[in-house]
PDB file of all heavy atoms in Angstrom:
ATOM      1  N   MET E  46    -157.433 -53.206 106.714  1.00  0.00           N
ATOM      2  CA  MET E  46    -157.014 -52.216 105.716  1.00  0.00           C
ATOM      3  C   MET E  46    -158.205 -52.090 104.692  1.00  0.00           C
ATOM      4  O   MET E  46    -158.425 -50.991 104.134  1.00  0.00           O
ATOM      5  CB  MET E  46    -155.775 -52.693 104.936  1.00  0.00           C
ATOM      6  CG  MET E  46    -155.329 -51.786 103.816  1.00  0.00           C
ATOM      7  SD  MET E  46    -153.805 -52.361 103.032  1.00  0.00           S
ATOM      8  CE  MET E  46    -152.542 -51.602 104.084  1.00  0.00           C
ATOM      9  N   PHE E  47    -158.899 -53.157 104.447  1.00  0.00           N
ATOM     10  CA  PHE E  47    -160.032 -53.202 103.492  1.00  0.00           C
ATOM     11  C   PHE E  47    -161.337 -53.488 104.216  1.00  0.00           C
ATOM     12  O   PHE E  47    -161.375 -54.251 105.205  1.00  0.00           O
ATOM     13  CB  PHE E  47    -159.781 -54.295 102.448  1.00  0.00           C
ATOM     14  CG  PHE E  47    -158.529 -54.031 101.607  1.00  0.00           C
ATOM     15  CD1 PHE E  47    -157.344 -54.683 101.931  1.00  0.00           C
ATOM     16  CD2 PHE E  47    -158.585 -53.209 100.546  1.00  0.00           C
ATOM     17  CE1 PHE E  47    -156.220 -54.431 101.141  1.00  0.00           C
ATOM     18  CE2 PHE E  47    -157.495 -52.956  99.758  1.00  0.00           C
ATOM     19  CZ  PHE E  47    -156.258 -53.553 100.089  1.00  0.00           C
ATOM     20  N   SER E  48    -162.410 -52.953 103.706  1.00  0.00           N
ATOM     21  CA  SER E  48    -163.742 -53.190 104.290  1.00  0.00           C
ATOM     22  C   SER E  48    -164.160 -54.620 104.005  1.00  0.00           C
ATOM     23  O   SER E  48    -163.552 -55.314 103.144  1.00  0.00           O
ATOM     24  CB  SER E  48    -164.784 -52.230 103.650  1.00  0.00           C
ATOM     25  OG  SER E  48    -164.978 -52.599 102.285  1.00  0.00           O
ATOM     26  N   ILE E  49    -165.190 -55.101 104.650  1.00  0.00           N
ATOM     27  CA  ILE E  49    -165.644 -56.456 104.431  1.00  0.00           C
ATOM     28  C   ILE E  49    -166.102 -56.620 102.960  1.00  0.00           C
ATOM     29  O   ILE E  49    -165.837 -57.687 102.350  1.00  0.00           O
ATOM     30  CB  ILE E  49    -166.794 -56.861 105.442  1.00  0.00           C
ATOM     31  CG1 ILE E  49    -167.144 -58.344 105.399  1.00  0.00           C
ATOM     32  CG2 ILE E  49    -168.008 -56.055 105.228  1.00  0.00           C
ATOM     33  CD1 ILE E  49    -166.136 -59.252 106.026  1.00  0.00           C
ATOM     34  N   GLU E  50    -166.735 -55.610 102.426  1.00  0.00           N
ATOM     35  CA  GLU E  50    -167.218 -55.658 101.027  1.00  0.00           C
ATOM     36  C   GLU E  50    -166.020 -55.805 100.076  1.00  0.00           C
ATOM     37  O   GLU E  50    -166.045 -56.557  99.111  1.00  0.00           O
ATOM     38  CB  GLU E  50    -168.070 -54.433 100.683  1.00  0.00           C
ATOM     39  CG  GLU E  50    -169.361 -54.366 101.413  1.00  0.00           C
ATOM     40  CD  GLU E  50    -169.259 -53.820 102.870  1.00  0.00           C
ATOM     41  OE1 GLU E  50    -168.188 -53.241 103.199  1.00  0.00           O
ATOM     42  OE2 GLU E  50    -170.226 -53.976 103.646  1.00  0.00           O
ATOM     43  N   GLU E  51    -164.989 -55.006 100.333  1.00  0.00           N
ATOM     44  CA  GLU E  51    -163.755 -55.049  99.506  1.00  0.00           C
ATOM     45  C   GLU E  51    -163.131 -56.415  99.566  1.00  0.00           C
ATOM     46  O   GLU E  51    -162.624 -56.953  98.603  1.00  0.00           O
ATOM     47  CB  GLU E  51    -162.802 -53.962  99.920  1.00  0.00           C
ATOM     48  CG  GLU E  51    -163.300 -52.552  99.537  1.00  0.00           C
ATOM     49  CD  GLU E  51    -162.482 -51.462 100.176  1.00  0.00           C
ATOM     50  OE1 GLU E  51    -161.968 -51.653 101.339  1.00  0.00           O
ATOM     51  OE2 GLU E  51    -162.215 -50.455  99.529  1.00  0.00           O
ATOM     52  N   ARG E  52    -163.038 -56.947 100.838  1.00  0.00           N
ATOM     53  CA  ARG E  52    -162.400 -58.266 100.967  1.00  0.00           C
ATOM     54  C   ARG E  52    -163.176 -59.382 100.318  1.00  0.00           C
ATOM     55  O   ARG E  52    -162.599 -60.259  99.695  1.00  0.00           O
ATOM     56  CB  ARG E  52    -162.154 -58.556 102.445  1.00  0.00           C
ATOM     57  CG  ARG E  52    -161.005 -57.655 103.023  1.00  0.00           C
ATOM     58  CD  ARG E  52    -160.762 -57.929 104.463  1.00  0.00           C
ATOM     59  NE  ARG E  52    -161.743 -57.279 105.339  1.00  0.00           N
ATOM     60  CZ  ARG E  52    -162.374 -57.818 106.331  1.00  0.00           C
ATOM     61  NH1 ARG E  52    -162.134 -59.073 106.701  1.00  0.00           N
ATOM     62  NH2 ARG E  52    -163.251 -57.107 107.035  1.00  0.00           N
ATOM     63  N   LEU E  53    -164.502 -59.312 100.419  1.00  0.00           N
ATOM     64  CA  LEU E  53    -165.379 -60.267  99.752  1.00  0.00           C
ATOM     65  C   LEU E  53    -165.140 -60.260  98.238  1.00  0.00           C
ATOM     66  O   LEU E  53    -164.911 -61.346  97.567  1.00  0.00           O
ATOM     67  CB  LEU E  53    -166.845 -60.024 100.031  1.00  0.00           C
ATOM     68  CG  LEU E  53    -167.444 -60.532 101.278  1.00  0.00           C
ATOM     69  CD1 LEU E  53    -168.813 -59.919 101.505  1.00  0.00           C
ATOM     70  CD2 LEU E  53    -167.514 -62.058 101.257  1.00  0.00           C
ATOM     71  N   ALA E  54    -165.080 -59.068  97.659  1.00  0.00           N
ATOM     72  CA  ALA E  54    -164.899 -58.933  96.190  1.00  0.00           C
ATOM     73  C   ALA E  54    -163.479 -59.418  95.861  1.00  0.00           C
ATOM     74  O   ALA E  54    -163.333 -60.156  94.831  1.00  0.00           O
ATOM     75  CB  ALA E  54    -165.078 -57.488  95.784  1.00  0.00           C
ATOM     76  N   MET E  55    -162.479 -59.124  96.642  1.00  0.00           N
ATOM     77  CA  MET E  55    -161.103 -59.542  96.432  1.00  0.00           C
ATOM     78  C   MET E  55    -161.031 -61.100  96.395  1.00  0.00           C
ATOM     79  O   MET E  55    -160.423 -61.687  95.517  1.00  0.00           O
ATOM     80  CB  MET E  55    -160.248 -58.941  97.490  1.00  0.00           C
ATOM     81  CG  MET E  55    -158.742 -59.143  97.350  1.00  0.00           C
ATOM     82  SD  MET E  55    -157.774 -58.500  98.754  1.00  0.00           S
ATOM     83  CE  MET E  55    -158.161 -56.737  98.680  1.00  0.00           C
ATOM     84  N   VAL E  56    -161.601 -61.691  97.441  1.00  0.00           N
ATOM     85  CA  VAL E  56    -161.508 -63.205  97.536  1.00  0.00           C
ATOM     86  C   VAL E  56    -162.250 -63.832  96.375  1.00  0.00           C
ATOM     87  O   VAL E  56    -161.772 -64.755  95.757  1.00  0.00           O
ATOM     88  CB  VAL E  56    -162.042 -63.667  98.880  1.00  0.00           C
ATOM     89  CG1 VAL E  56    -162.113 -65.203  98.954  1.00  0.00           C
ATOM     90  CG2 VAL E  56    -161.140 -63.109 100.050  1.00  0.00           C
ATOM     91  N   LYS E  57    -163.470 -63.311  96.091  1.00  0.00           N
ATOM     92  CA  LYS E  57    -164.286 -63.891  94.975  1.00  0.00           C
ATOM     93  C   LYS E  57    -163.452 -63.847  93.657  1.00  0.00           C
ATOM     94  O   LYS E  57    -163.429 -64.815  92.921  1.00  0.00           O
ATOM     95  CB  LYS E  57    -165.577 -63.176  94.784  1.00  0.00           C
ATOM     96  CG  LYS E  57    -166.611 -63.521  95.900  1.00  0.00           C
ATOM     97  CD  LYS E  57    -167.881 -62.722  95.701  1.00  0.00           C
ATOM     98  CE  LYS E  57    -168.880 -63.036  96.842  1.00  0.00           C
ATOM     99  NZ  LYS E  57    -170.068 -62.214  96.807  1.00  0.00           N
ATOM    100  N   ARG E  58    -162.830 -62.703  93.397  1.00  0.00           N
ATOM    101  CA  ARG E  58    -162.043 -62.613  92.179  1.00  0.00           C
ATOM    102  C   ARG E  58    -160.860 -63.548  92.162  1.00  0.00           C
ATOM    103  O   ARG E  58    -160.579 -64.219  91.122  1.00  0.00           O
ATOM    104  CB  ARG E  58    -161.514 -61.184  92.058  1.00  0.00           C
ATOM    105  CG  ARG E  58    -160.725 -60.910  90.768  1.00  0.00           C
ATOM    106  CD  ARG E  58    -159.894 -59.609  90.843  1.00  0.00           C
ATOM    107  NE  ARG E  58    -158.910 -59.685  91.841  1.00  0.00           N
ATOM    108  CZ  ARG E  58    -158.734 -58.743  92.825  1.00  0.00           C
ATOM    109  NH1 ARG E  58    -159.540 -57.708  92.847  1.00  0.00           N
ATOM    110  NH2 ARG E  58    -157.775 -58.883  93.744  1.00  0.00           N
ATOM    111  N   GLU E  59    -160.168 -63.683  93.302  1.00  0.00           N
ATOM    112  CA  GLU E  59    -158.951 -64.516  93.365  1.00  0.00           C
ATOM    113  C   GLU E  59    -159.285 -65.997  93.227  1.00  0.00           C
ATOM    114  O   GLU E  59    -158.486 -66.698  92.743  1.00  0.00           O
ATOM    115  CB  GLU E  59    -158.227 -64.267  94.684  1.00  0.00           C
ATOM    116  CG  GLU E  59    -157.629 -62.840  94.777  1.00  0.00           C
ATOM    117  CD  GLU E  59    -156.551 -62.557  93.689  1.00  0.00           C
ATOM    118  OE1 GLU E  59    -155.636 -63.370  93.548  1.00  0.00           O
ATOM    119  OE2 GLU E  59    -156.728 -61.520  92.987  1.00  0.00           O
ATOM    120  N   VAL E  60    -160.468 -66.449  93.652  1.00  0.00           N
ATOM    121  CA  VAL E  60    -160.816 -67.849  93.627  1.00  0.00           C
ATOM    122  C   VAL E  60    -161.578 -68.259  92.381  1.00  0.00           C
ATOM    123  O   VAL E  60    -161.918 -69.467  92.231  1.00  0.00           O
ATOM    124  CB  VAL E  60    -161.526 -68.331  94.909  1.00  0.00           C
ATOM    125  CG1 VAL E  60    -160.693 -68.043  96.162  1.00  0.00           C
ATOM    126  CG2 VAL E  60    -162.922 -67.759  95.029  1.00  0.00           C
TER     127      VAL E  60
END
Side-chain angles (χ1 to χ4, degrees):
M46 178 177 273
F47 297 97
S48 71
I49 190 78
E50 294 80 14
E51 290 169 322
R52 289 181 280 133
L53 277 169
M55 188 185 296
V56 174
K57 285 178 183 177
R58 181 194 64 233
E59 294 296 309
V60 303

